[in-house]
Every structure is written in C-alpha cells, then in structure tokens.
C-alpha cells in the first residue's frame, strides 16, 4: 500500500515576498544593464503617453503640432512625477503616467457648449485645454488632502487580503479593452508581437550571453524592434495603400504625423497654454476621476511591492504616495498634459516579466522621459510605434499584474463560503457594471447617469466606469459587514496586521525609509 503524502509535499506555504526575482527594490543591476532596462520602461510608457493625446487633441480642435506638444508635455511631467514618487512617495519602482480614468470628465469638458461652439479650432483647443487644467488643479486637492492628512491610511484599516484581491486583480483584468481589441486592429503584426514576446520572455528565457539572460531581460525591447521593423517594411512596400483610412491609421508607421510635427528642442513649461480657467461643475466631475486614480494606484502599488520583492507598503507609506500623486496631478494641471496621472499598470507588469524590481531602473527611465520630451524629434521617432504593438505587450503585462492580485488569496481561507462569496461577487460586478456603462455609452452617446446636473453625471459615470473602483466598493463593504467579527483569520488579518505600521516589520525600514535622513522631519507612524 502506497504511503500517504505528507502535508508539506502537497501544500505551498504563504510567503510575504515573491520568490525568483533577480533584483529587488533596493538591489541594482550593473549600470549598463540598468540603463538598458530603464530605456525599456521608457519605451513601454510611450503607449499611453501617445494614445491619450492622439485621442483627445483632435476632439479639442488641436492640430498635429498641438498633439506633439501635448505628448512631449505629458512625457516631461511623467518623468518628474515618476522621479518624485520613487524618491519621496512610496519609493516603490512605479512609473507615474497618464491615466484613462480621466476620460469621462475630460470629454464632458470638451463637449461643454461654451467651448464646443467656439468657431476657430485653435482658440477652441486653447480654451478647452485651459478648462481641463483648471479642473485638474482643483481636483488634485482631493489626493493631496487624503494623502498628506493620512486619511487614506485610516481608510486602509478596513482593507483585508480577501477584500483587496479583486481590487488588485481588476487593476489588470479591468483593462482588457486595451489589449486584444487593439491588437485586432492590425493583426498582421499585433499577433506576431504577442507570440514573439511570450516566446522570448518565457520559453527562451534561459538563453544567456555573458551570464546575462538577454531574451528574458530585454524581451520587450527586442520584440518591439523586430515587429516595428516588420511593420515599417509592410508600410514601405505599399501593403496598406488601398486599405480604409482607419486601418492605415492603426497599421502604417508613417501616419502618426509625430516626427514631422515635432520640434528639435522644446522645453515644456507651466501655463504654456495660457492661464487656467475654473468652473465648479468641471472640477466636481474631475474629482471623481481623481478618486478612481487613487483606488487604481492603490492596487498597483500593492502589486508593485510584490513584484519588487518588498513587503506590502505600510498604511502611512501608501498615504504618503497618494499625497505625492496628488502633487503629480497638480503638475499635470499646471503644465497642461490634457489628463491626470496614475501608476502605469503596464510598467508594473514589466517588473515581473524582467524579474527586476529595482528602484534605480525606474529612476533612470524617468530620466529618459524628461530627456526625450525635450529632444522632440528623437522622442517622436520612438513615439511613432503603432499602438497594436503596445497592445500585444499589454495582453501579457496586464495579465501578470492581475495574477499578482490573485496571489494574495494564499493568505486567506478560500474554503470559507463567506470568502468565496465576497471574491466572486466583487470580481463579477467589478467587470460587469463597467461593461454595462461602456455599452450604454457607446449606444446612447452618453452615460447611464443623464440628469441636468452635468457634474453629477460625470461623477457617477466616472466612478462606475472603473473596474477596481467598483470592486473596492463591493468587496470592502461585504468584507466589513458580513460575519467580519468571527472571520479575522479567514480574511487573512493576522498576516496583514503586521504590515499596517512602519515598525510592524523590520524590513519596512530597508524598503520605505525616506532618503537624505528626511525621516527625522517626517517620522513614520
């Protein structure tokens, strides 16, 4: 009779930090490798930095020159915000870039009758940009107050591992419409990009040169270079000459009008579009987007901590990061980036793909963002990479971030019907409610909330467009009202509690202490 397996042979004990990472948050690869990895993060961040202005600027009446200036400004502010966040904020290796969460209030401002009726396109663009700037400046106060007052740290006391699993997971899963639907716009190089990226980063990752796993570490850079060259070959050979305009826009490498429109050198500066204008309705709608950005970033910070082999950020560190993110949105308003800022989910995923969670790498990428935003022609060259190439990488990287969220289930009891109910319902509603809002808006050309109060419509429609936000509202409510007194162990609270305070775990000092001995002035709680 066969011997029964031992418990340790069939179970995997929960671990605070992910295993198998080459470099953690405060360990660094060689300078040459770090610079190459930083450039790879910069290239990945271009997708969102170019996509958002390419979508918004034409709606505002802007020209190709205006679009290029907005892209440059967004990259410049992105670099500053990333550097500030890694140095003084959470200190996690996170890129702080442009956010899609701000689309509902921004499009509402664009369609405001007082702006939409301006006849001259250039004047309409400037007036709209100033209105967006004013709304961002006012709305940034929400994150600044919640962060620096430590109110968000107090709110986080209601979070448990079982409650945060859907939030973190849907930070990745909730972006499914940015993945294969965009790849499908140009499958002839979108699908090869997806296949090649998976091959290099997973199946061929053991290939080494001088003891460096080249294909695993630089899979994204190599595959983008190969597929971009292939896409340019298709364009140059006239493969898209007789295709519809939309197909050419997505597939051709010469349709972005970025390189020809970009200046050689241009310094973005505050108030470059003129003095911001302020309107209460615009600001209230934008505040909803700031709340969504806060929740999505919270999930991304927790995912980044695991992928950087750090402990979960203590409550006051998380709150400090949110405060600096509010400063980032304020800078977005002052410079005029056309959108607010949030943690870049794709760059968080790249930490896991490369197995390098080094803070220094992300700070180097911030340097590239600032450098190439000033040298316009060079930055525009890289920014002309077709969107389906980025979308193929998102299919992998967003999924990786989502799976990190699922990894928090190891600290909970998933044999508990209570936990199964909370996780399942939060996931389903987190996906289903935003999908309803998207479908309704696509059909009716306005959101389900359609009252005479535009600010109220923008507020509700923005909140319920976000999967992590819906998941947080559902999961935290259920987790703190459903048999919560007798289920602390099932919720994972004994494990979670020690990471709530800075002194709860000795490793926190290594990961999250402020530089330049600033903790003397801002003592951790």
């Amino acid at each position: 009779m066969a011997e029964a397996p031992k418990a340790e042979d069939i179970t995997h004990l929960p671990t605070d930090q992910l295993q198998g990472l080459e470099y953690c948050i405060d360990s660094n690869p060689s300078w040459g490798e770090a610079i190459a990895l930083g450039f790879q993060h910069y290239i990945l961040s271009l997708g969102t930095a170019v996509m958002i202005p390419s979508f918004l600027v034409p709606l505002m009446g802007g020209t190709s020159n205006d679009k290029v200036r907005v892209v440059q400004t967004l990259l410049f502010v992105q670099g500053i915000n990333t550097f500030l966040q890694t140095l003084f904020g959470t200190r996690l290796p996170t890129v702080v870039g442009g956010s899609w969460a701000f689309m509902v209030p921004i499009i509402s401002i664009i369609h405001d009758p007082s702006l939409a009726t301006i006849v001259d396109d250039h004047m309409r663009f400037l007036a709209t940009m100033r209105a967006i700037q004013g709304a961002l400046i006012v709305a940034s106060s929400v994150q600044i107050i919640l962060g620096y007052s430590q109110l968000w740290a107090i709110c986080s006391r209601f979070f448990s591992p079982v409650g945060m699993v859907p939030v973190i997971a849907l930070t990745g899963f909730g972006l499914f419409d940015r993945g294969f639907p965009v790849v499908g716009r140009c499958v002839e190089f979108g699908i090869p990009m997806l296949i090649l990226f998976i091959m290099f980063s997973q199946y061929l990752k053991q290939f080494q040169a001088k003891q460096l796993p080249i294909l695993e570490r630089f899979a994204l850079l190599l595959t983008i270079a190969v597929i971009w060259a292939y896409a340019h070959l298709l364009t140059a050979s006239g493969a898209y000459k007789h295709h519809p305009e939309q197909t050419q826009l997505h597939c051709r490498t010469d349709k972005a009008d970025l390189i020809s429109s970009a200046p050689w050198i241009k310094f973005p500066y505050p108030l470059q579009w003129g003095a911001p204008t302020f309107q209460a309705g615009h600001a209230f709608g934008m505040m909803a987007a700031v709340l969504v950005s806060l929740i999505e970033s919270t999930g991304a910070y927790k995912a980044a901590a695991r992928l950087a082999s750090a402990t979960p950020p203590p409550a006051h560190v998380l709150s400090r990061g949110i405060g600096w993110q509010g400063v980032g949105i304020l800078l977005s308003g002052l410079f005029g980036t056309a959108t607010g800022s949030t943690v870049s989910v794709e760059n968080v995923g790249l930490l896991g793909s490369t197995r390098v969670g080094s803070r220094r790498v992300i700070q180097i990428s911030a340097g590239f963002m600032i450098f190439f935003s000033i040298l316009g022609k060079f930055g525009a060259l890289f920014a002309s990479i077709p969107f389906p190439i980025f979308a193929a990488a998102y299919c992998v990287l967003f999924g990786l971030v989502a799976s990190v969220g699922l990894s928090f289930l190891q600290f909970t009891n998933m044999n508990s019907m209570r936990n199964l109910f909370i996780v399942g319902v939060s996931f389903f509603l987190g996906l289903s409610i935003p999908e309803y809002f998207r479908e309704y808006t696509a059909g009716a050309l306005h959101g389900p909330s359609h009252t005479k109060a535009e600010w109220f419509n923008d507020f509700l429609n923005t909140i319920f467009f976000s999967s992590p936000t819906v998941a947080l509202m559902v999961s935290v409510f259920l987790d703190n009202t459903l048999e919560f007194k007798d289920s602390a162990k099932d919720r994972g609270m004994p494990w979670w509690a020690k990471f709530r305070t800075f002194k709860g775990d000795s490793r926190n000092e290594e990961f999250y202490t402020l530089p330049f001995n600033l903790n003397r002035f801002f003592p951790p709680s």
Side-chain angles (χ1 to χ4, degrees), residues 92 294 397:
L92 289 166
L294 181 154
L397 301 177

Side-chain angles (χ1 to χ4, degrees), residues 285-327:
M286 199 68 79
M287 285 179 183
V290 170
L291 287 172
V292 167
S293 165
L294 181 154
I295 292 167
E296 291 178 351
S297 294
T298 297
Y301 285 135
K302 291 184 181 295
R306 277 188 75 70
L307 289 172
S309 198
T311 53
H316 92 279
V317 170
L318 190 62
S319 207
R320 186 177 73 197
I322 293 301
W324 277 105
Q325 193 169 301
V327 172

Side-chain angles (χ1 to χ4, degrees), residues 108 281 449-461:
S108 180
S449 177
H450 189 56
T451 67
K452 291 183 179 180
E454 286 296 330
W455 66 269
F456 179 76
N457 299 337
D458 292 345
F459 198 94
L460 278 188
N461 292 332

Side-chain angles (χ1 to χ4, degrees), residues 139-439:
S140 67
S141 62
V142 172
Q143 281 195 9
I144 292 172
I145 292 169
L146 286 174
Y148 291 128
S149 68
Q150 292 294 311
L151 281 172
W152 191 240
I154 295 170
C155 292
S156 70
R157 296 181 184 279
F158 296 97
F159 303 161
S160 74
V162 78
M164 290 308 292
V165 162
V167 180
I168 302 169
L170 289 180
T171 300
F173 285 144
L175 296 168
F176 64 89
D177 57 330
R178 306 267 182 266
F180 205 84
V182 181
V183 172
R185 295 173 185 173
C186 202
V187 293
E188 46 267 49
F189 58 76
I191 290 179
M193 171 70 193
L194 176 58
I195 293 171
L196 203 60
F197 184 43
I198 293 173
M199 286 288 293
F200 279 15
S201 65
Q202 302 302 317
Y203 290 95
L204 302 176
K205 64 182 179 182
Q206 301 304 328
F207 175 81
Q208 294 191 353
K210 295 183 179 179
Q211 297 185 326
L212 179 68
I214 294 286
L215 293 183
E216 179 188 45
R217 202 77 89 234
F218 304 105
L220 183 73
L221 212 53
L222 294 170
T223 50
I224 284 180
V226 170
I227 301 300
W228 189 19
Y230 171 53
H232 190 70
L233 189 66
L234 288 176
T235 300
S237 66
Y240 302 111
K241 192 173 291 184
H242 304 295
H243 282 64
E245 182 65 25
Q246 278 298 104
T247 303
Q248 294 194 40
L249 188 64
H250 294 303
C251 299
R252 291 180 69 104
T253 57
D254 58 358
K255 273 289 184 179
D257 293 330
L258 291 173
I259 300 173
S260 59
S261 303
W264 281 103
I265 297 178
K266 182 73 177 180
F267 282 88
Y269 55 91
L271 310 183
Q272 59 187 329
W273 312 107
T277 57
F278 300 93
Q279 189 173 321
H282 295 165
F284 275 118
M286 199 68 79
M287 285 179 183
V290 170
L291 287 172
V292 167
S293 165
L294 181 154
I295 292 167
E296 291 178 351
S297 294
T298 297
Y301 285 135
K302 291 184 181 295
R306 277 188 75 70
L307 289 172
S309 198
T311 53
H316 92 279
V317 170
L318 190 62
S319 207
R320 186 177 73 197
I322 293 301
W324 277 105
Q325 193 169 301
V327 172
I329 295 172
L330 177 62
L331 291 175
S332 297
L334 289 172
F335 279 83
T337 61
T339 188
S341 60
T342 191
V343 175
S344 171
V345 178
E346 55 267 35
N347 288 89
V348 173
L350 190 58
L351 301 177
S353 177
T354 59
R355 295 195 296 139
V356 176
S358 167
R359 183 190 296 124
R360 177 185 290 173
V361 167
I362 300 301
Q363 291 173 336
I364 290 171
S365 77
F368 278 118
M369 293 170 204
I370 295 170
F371 179 74
F372 283 115
S373 67
I374 295 170
L375 292 180
K377 292 286 187 188
F378 292 101
L381 172 65
F382 299 121
S384 64
I385 300 169
F387 297 147
I389 291 179
F390 289 110
Y394 294 167
C395 291
V396 175
L397 301 177
F398 289 162
L400 191 51
V401 172
S403 66
V404 171
L406 296 178
S407 75
F408 279 84
L409 289 172
Q410 68 185 299
F411 307 111
T412 69
N413 176 15
M414 289 314 290
N415 290 316
S416 160
M417 283 304 301
R418 172 196 180 274
N419 287 357
L420 289 173
F421 177 84
I422 291 170
V423 172
V425 171
S426 302
F427 261 108
F428 188 84
L429 291 180
L431 288 169
S432 190
I433 291 176
E435 183 62 18
Y436 163 71
F437 271 70
R438 276 191 284 266
E439 287 186 7

